Amino acid sequence: MDTKIGSLDTCRPTSNDMINPTNGAVAAIQSSVSPTMINASESTLGRHLARRLVQIGVTDVFSVPGDFNLTLLDHLIAEPELNLVGCCNELNAGYAADGYARSRGVGACVVTFTVGGLSVLNAIAGAYSENLPVICIVGGPNSNDYGTNRILHHTIGLPDFSQELACFQTVTCFQAVVNNLEDAHELIDTAISTALKESKPVYISISCNLSAIPHPTFSREPVPFSLTPKLSNKLGLEAAVEAAAEFLNKAVKPVLVGGPKLRPAHAGEAFVELADASGYALAIMPSAKGLVPEHHPHFIGTYWGAVSTAFCAEIVESADAYLFAGPIFNDYSSVGYSLLLKKEKAIIVQPDRVVIANGPAFGCILMKDFLSALAKRLKCNTTAYDNYHRIFVPEGQPLRGAPKEPLRVNVLFQHIQKMLSSETAVIAETGDSWFNCQKLKLPRGCGYEFQMQYGSIGWSVGATLGYAQAVPEKRVISFIGDGSFQVTAQDVSTMLRCGQKTIIFLINNGGYTIEVEIHDGPYNVIKNWNYTGLVDAIHNGEGKCWTAKVFCEEDLVEAIETATGSKKDSLCFIEVIAHKDDTSKELLEWGSRVSAANSRPKTNPLIVTSGGSHQRRAKEQSAQQRWSYSKGTSFKMD
């Protein structure tokens, strides 16, 4: 049975009683576990929390100090296996925990009450949207202040301390307010185990005066989490597999498409098993890039409607059956709701539910169980892949530039492709980097991350920090637009302090290019910075850092040779000067379609009368708005 947390396979169970900490509820602890007694000075709430974090695979915590969390930070630092990474602001600390969780399977950040909590909130919302277990820890008010009429600093000036909690309730799956020691152990353990089994962030507030107080419940080393796996309903699983196999086996040219929820469902291996057994053409949704091996013999690329990789959309949309594993159909992934898919041809597999065409639907079925079982029931059918192979024409090379000609973005990414290996990972910022990086062909073992569902500009700086900290053996290559970089640039400083060897490509094209292609205006133009000068100033002679400004292909070649050669152990920052209108063709197409979706005119609401035809028409219209498949119209899913 799987004993790893998320994608981390270096976190080994400390006894044979720990089972699958990625799913399920807390199970009874076996009697064979005999935790070690610890001395009174270490039997504190703060040390218990630190030991729990280490136990689940968190060895780095991203933090910003504030007077409500200082004592807690002392106790986290005291844990020898835990490294505290101080960030420049709370937003970046949250983004770093997000990036860390993408590699390790779980991440953590620590901030102070309200001013810190509300600053990190946006990053936690992003982690929630991307199904990442992030432990967000907040140093809270003194326990004696709860229930009084005292007004505290760092608040909005009311004696009620619940404003921060109310904000976190919508973007976390569990909230624990620890303001007494009697239930602290239970609340902390419940919060952490809930984050692991739900693959969502949790919120833990700890009163500032409690972290250093010993308590009998913390007098032993924490018993290893024993999280029972969620189980599929056996009869439902058999029925779903039988119905799906019948549906797919009678299809002429079925295809498979992987979606982003393969990650929280821990179903990547099962999906590949299904692809191996079925022989179907295998595609991914853009937000699933990096979750499915692109070296698979039947891989045909990214399915993204009108901006899919070459010949992929034609194969998917002409199929007579398609299985989507863990999809998210939003306005971005559906290119303004313009996917040419039909409901009656689709099997939609979510982490715990399967829907076949117009019905039936099966609940209480785990995706990985369903995919593995289905793999044993499908006939091998390579028709769709054979069609792809038949029509595929290799992409042409970018036009060769004249000597010292201004660098074009498509030339840049031609050189980037050659840099990728099993020892690298790609981080793509929101913007044109989405589209350019989608076209990269990932070699075996090359990591890839971007934030498509939430799409918060500036995410990549913190995420790069966190991801690189989680896997120091890989060299992270980040692609960040100038507009996004201006939001979160400060934590390049933290990368240097941590000795990271990331390569950052800063694409300087003078503004918010992705917004330009959706709706242009003077607000999309930003003040130009001397970006390499800024990073040099941040470097300030401390740590290993090298910067370069690139204007042409000759400059780029030289910069890459230096970054991967003599400066391979340094953080390398390469500013690429690009024309403001030098965008991928995919962004141009995608932007126009998303713009059209955003600017749809308001429809007149129906007048509903009780019990009459108007009420039926309103219900029918509502259903049509949720699902639009027929006759080549858009594919939409709540």
Side-chain angles (χ1 to χ4, degrees):
M1 182 173 287
D2 182 16
T3 56
K4 60 187 180 182
I5 296 176
S7 61
L8 177 67
D9 53 10
T10 57
C11 181
R12 304 295 181 193
T14 55
S15 76
N16 292 330
D17 304 304
M18 182 179 178
I19 57 174
N20 194 8
T22 62
N23 280 304
V26 178
I29 302 299
Q30 305 297 323
S31 59
S32 60
V33 176
S34 300
T36 305
M37 295 292 293
I38 57 179
N39 61 53
S41 64
E42 296 181 350
S43 61
T44 62
L45 186 159
R47 289 302 297 275
H48 172 79
L49 177 60
R51 286 187 285 267
R52 271 297 189 219
L53 292 175
V54 170
Q55 185 190 85
I56 63 171
V58 174
T59 55
D60 301 272
V61 175
F62 303 92
S63 67
V64 178
D67 59 331
F68 286 120
N69 70 12
L70 296 177
T71 303
L72 175 60
L73 295 181
D74 287 339
H75 285 262
L76 297 181
I77 291 173
E79 171 55 48
E81 296 182 63
L82 195 63
N83 177 42
L84 203 65
V85 179
C87 296
C88 296
N89 60 51
E90 291 86 0
L91 179 62
N92 277 338
Y95 286 154
D98 171 312
Y100 193 92
R102 289 168 184 267
S103 177
R104 285 289 185 94
V106 61
C109 57
V110 183
V111 299
T112 196
F113 186 60
T114 307
V115 292
L118 298 190
S119 291
V120 80
L121 189 68
N122 186 56
I124 300 303
Y128 188 96
S129 76
E130 301 276 327
N131 299 289
L132 298 169
V134 171
I135 317 297
C136 181
I137 303 161
V138 175
N142 187 293
S143 62
N144 297 302
D145 290 328
Y146 282 90
T148 69
N149 285 322
R150 295 170 181 161
I151 295 177
L152 296 181
H153 67 290
H154 289 343
T155 70
I156 61 173
L158 298 176
D160 177 10
F161 303 153
S162 66
Q163 294 86 20
E164 179 184 81
L165 172 63
C167 291
F168 274 94
Q169 284 174 333
T170 58
V171 296
T172 56
C173 66
F174 187 85
Q175 306 82 38
V177 178
V178 180
N179 54 22
N180 71 81
L181 290 174
E182 297 305 316
D183 61 356
H185 189 289
E186 178 185 358
L187 285 173
I188 290 171
D189 284 8
T190 302
I192 293 175
S193 61
T194 303
L196 295 177
K197 69 182 181 181
E198 298 295 334
S199 197
K200 292 283 191 182
V202 294
Y203 165 86
I204 303 175
S205 172
I206 297 177
S207 289
C208 59
N209 62 319
L210 299 185
S211 300
I213 303 176
H215 192 269
T217 55
F218 307 129
S219 62
R220 293 172 177 263
E221 289 285 351
V223 174
F225 276 123
S226 186
L227 306 179
T228 56
K230 295 178 181 177
L231 300 176
S232 296
N233 178 286
K234 186 176 180 181
L235 293 178
L237 175 62
E238 292 174 356
V241 170
E242 182 177 352
E246 181 183 2
F247 182 87
L248 292 170
N249 282 333
K250 68 182 181 183
V252 176
K253 44 185 179 179
V255 298
L256 300 176
V257 184
K261 290 189 178 180
L262 283 169
R263 189 204 302 267
H266 305 286
E269 292 181 5
F271 185 68
V272 173
E273 179 186 350
L274 178 62
D276 289 340
S278 67
Y280 295 177
L282 169 63
I284 53 170
M285 299 185 74
S287 47
K289 189 175 179 69
L291 301 181
V292 174
E294 297 185 11
H295 59 268
H296 191 280
H298 286 179
F299 182 75
I300 65 172
T302 298
Y303 175 63
W304 201 353
V307 295
S308 300
T309 51
F311 305 101
C312 181
E314 291 83 353
I315 296 300
V316 172
E317 293 178 346
S318 67
D320 56 346
Y322 17 74
L323 184 150
F324 280 81
I328 295 178
F329 295 107
N330 61 25
D331 51 341
Y332 274 15
S333 66
S334 67
V335 198
Y337 308 117
S338 64
L339 302 184
L340 300 180
L341 301 173
K342 296 181 180 180
K343 182 180 179 182
E344 61 267 21
K345 295 182 179 181
I347 295 178
I348 306 297
V349 187
Q350 294 295 3
D352 56 3
R353 185 174 179 81
V354 177
V355 180
I356 299 177
N358 292 308
F362 303 88
C364 301
I365 296 171
L366 295 186
M367 183 190 294
K368 61 182 180 180
D369 293 343
F370 173 79
L371 297 178
S372 291
L374 182 60
K376 299 174 177 62
R377 297 285 299 275
L378 291 184
K379 300 173 184 176
C380 185
N381 184 341
T382 64
T383 303
Y385 180 75
D386 292 341
N387 287 345
Y388 170 79
H389 187 69
R390 192 174 294 114
I391 67 172
F392 179 78
V393 177
E395 293 184 31
Q397 297 298 319
L399 294 174
R400 190 166 184 84
K404 299 297 181 180
E405 177 186 333
L407 182 64
R408 298 192 306 274
V409 172
N410 55 15
V411 173
L412 164 66
F413 278 89
Q414 185 184 20
H415 288 277
I416 298 302
Q417 180 66 63
K418 299 172 185 175
M419 298 176 65
L420 304 185
S421 71
S422 61
E423 298 176 350
T424 61
V426 174
I427 304 288
E429 175 60 86
T430 300
D432 200 21
S433 292
W434 277 4
F435 303 91
N436 288 303
C437 290
Q438 276 291 328
K439 291 182 283 187
L440 293 172
K441 295 176 176 60
L442 303 182
R444 186 190 301 266
C446 181
Y448 186 94
E449 297 293 345
F450 79 128
Q451 190 195 56
M452 186 171 190
Q453 172 60 37
Y454 202 58
S456 184
I457 66 168
W459 162 86
S460 63
V461 176
T464 295
L465 165 64
Y467 194 98
Q469 194 66 16
V471 280
E473 67 276 11
K474 283 187 183 288
R475 194 163 197 196
V476 178
I477 305 174
S478 289
F479 300 91
I480 309 175
D482 50 344
S484 297
F485 187 72
Q486 288 193 9
V487 179
T488 50
Q490 307 96 313
D491 270 284
V492 170
S493 148
T494 311
M495 298 177 196
L496 288 169
R497 199 167 63 177
C498 292
Q500 295 181 357
K501 54 186 179 182
T502 293
I503 302 175
I504 295 175
F505 285 92
L506 187 285
I507 315 297
N508 184 352
N509 53 15
Y512 300 118
T513 303
I514 191 170
E515 312 294 2
V516 168
E517 302 309 330
I518 296 174
H519 184 93
D520 201 3
Y523 31 75
N524 291 326
V525 179
I526 61 175
K527 170 71 174 68
N528 190 38
W529 292 0
N530 180 358
Y531 294 97
T532 53
L534 173 67
V535 172
D536 286 336
I538 291 173
H539 173 214
N540 199 27
E542 298 176 5
K544 294 181 179 181
C545 181
W546 177 79
T547 65
K549 199 183 293 276
V550 166
F551 295 91
C552 60
E553 186 174 9
E554 292 87 345
D555 294 343
L556 176 66
V557 170
E558 183 179 345
I560 291 175
E561 287 178 353
T562 302
T564 56
S566 61
K567 299 297 181 181
K568 64 181 180 181
D569 294 325
S570 300
L571 187 145
C572 296
F573 183 90
I574 302 172
E575 179 183 352
V576 178
I577 308 300
H579 191 278
K580 65 182 182 66
D581 294 323
D582 185 1
T583 64
S584 64
K585 69 180 183 65
E586 290 81 8
L587 175 55
L588 296 175
E589 175 75 22
W590 179 89
S592 63
R593 290 174 181 262
V594 170
S595 175
N598 287 350
S599 58
R600 297 191 309 277
K602 178 176 172 57
T603 56
N604 293 324
L606 292 175
I607 299 173
V608 180
T609 58
S610 60
S613 61
H614 290 294
Q615 190 172 30
R616 288 194 298 274
R617 284 173 56 203
K619 291 180 179 178
E620 290 168 0
Q621 185 184 54
S622 175
Q624 289 169 357
Q625 289 172 346
R626 290 195 302 271
W627 295 91
S628 298
Y629 286 86
S630 61
K631 296 181 180 178
T633 57
S634 62
F635 185 107
K636 299 193 293 184
M637 190 172 194
D638 288 342

